[in-house]
Amino acid sequence: MRHLRGEPELVDKFRHSIREYTDGLLGKLDLFTPYGQGMVRELAAFAETIDFDLVIRSISGQEFAHYELPVAA
């Protein structure tokens, strides 16, 4: 809601927190299953875009109803 109202302070803190979390995990991807690796990468990408419309679609839209993460290389 604050993001939509043009009040970015909390969104920026949220983004910073996600980036710190994923930066640590990206260096340890070999410890995760392919699914876990994909989730970490998706979360890291979300931290860059903070696309809340994507969150809404991924929760309730048919677009992701059968979404399969690519196998990590």
Side-chain angles (χ1 to χ4, degrees):
M1 185 59 119
R2 289 179 183 260
H3 179 69
L4 293 174
R5 292 179 53 188
E7 300 173 8
E9 296 85 14
L10 286 177
V11 174
D12 290 343
K13 287 180 182 180
F14 177 62
R15 177 183 292 186
H16 178 74
S17 176
I18 293 173
R19 281 184 179 156
E20 281 187 332
Y21 175 71
T22 56
D23 284 350
L25 294 178
L26 286 170
K28 300 174 183 172
L29 283 178
D30 59 319
L31 301 175
F32 290 88
T33 64
Y35 177 79
Q37 291 174 6
M39 294 303 295
V40 169
R41 287 186 176 117
E42 289 289 325
L43 186 57
F46 174 74
E48 295 302 316
T49 63
I50 304 294
D51 183 356
F52 289 112
D53 290 333
L54 175 61
V55 174
I56 293 167
R57 291 193 330 266
S58 67
I59 292 171
S60 59
Q62 291 298 313
E63 175 184 0
F64 294 103
H66 302 285
Y67 183 63
E68 292 184 36
L69 293 170
V71 175

